[in-house]
Amino acid sequence: MTGSSPPIASGGSAPCGFPSTPGGASIAFAAVADLWALIEPLAMPVLEAAGEARFEVTHAVWLRHRTDIVAGMRLLLAGRALAIHSFRDPDETRRYLVCRCTEEGR
C-alpha cells in the first residue's frame, strides 16, 4: 500500500430499497460490516466513466480483500460518506481492494 498514514476505522453500508407511497421506492443504507481502511484523498480528482455514468473520484480507499463489496455501497467515517464507484485488486493476490470513491455531501 502507498502512503504513510496509519489505517483508520471505517464502516461499510449497502443500499437497500423499501416500498413507499404510490408505487415508489425509497433507498436507505443498511450497515454491512465494520472494517479497517486507509483513505487517501487524491491530489487531483479524476473524472471516470462507467457505461453512461460519469463521476469524479476524490478518494482511493484501501481495504482488506472482501467478496461482498459492490459499486453503489458506501463507506462511513466520522460523519463522512464515501460512495464506492469501482474497485480493483491492485496486485491480484486477494489481499487488498482499492476502492475508487466520491465523497458525498461536500
Side-chain angles (χ1 to χ4, degrees):
M1 289 194 309
T2 61
S4 60
S5 301
I8 52 180
S10 180
S13 60
C16 55
F18 56 91
S20 65
T21 57
S26 296
I27 302 295
F29 285 84
V32 173
D34 287 328
L35 45 96
W36 288 88
L38 175 67
I39 299 174
E40 295 180 312
L42 300 177
M44 176 67 78
V46 179
L47 185 63
E48 291 190 2
E52 297 282 328
R54 296 194 182 276
F55 50 89
E56 185 176 59
V57 173
T58 58
H59 293 78
V61 181
W62 288 72
L63 308 171
R64 284 187 186 263
H65 192 277
R66 300 177 59 95
T67 58
D68 59 349
I69 299 293
V70 295
M73 289 181 147
R74 66 181 184 177
L75 302 167
L76 304 175
L77 171 69
R80 297 169 65 187
L82 298 169
I84 300 173
H85 291 290
S86 63
F87 55 92
R88 64 184 176 87
D89 181 346
D91 57 4
E92 298 181 353
T93 60
R94 298 180 61 90
R95 293 182 304 156
Y96 300 106
L97 288 178
V98 180
C99 300
R100 309 284 284 173
C101 301
T102 300
E103 186 164 6
E104 296 179 337
R106 288 222 172 181

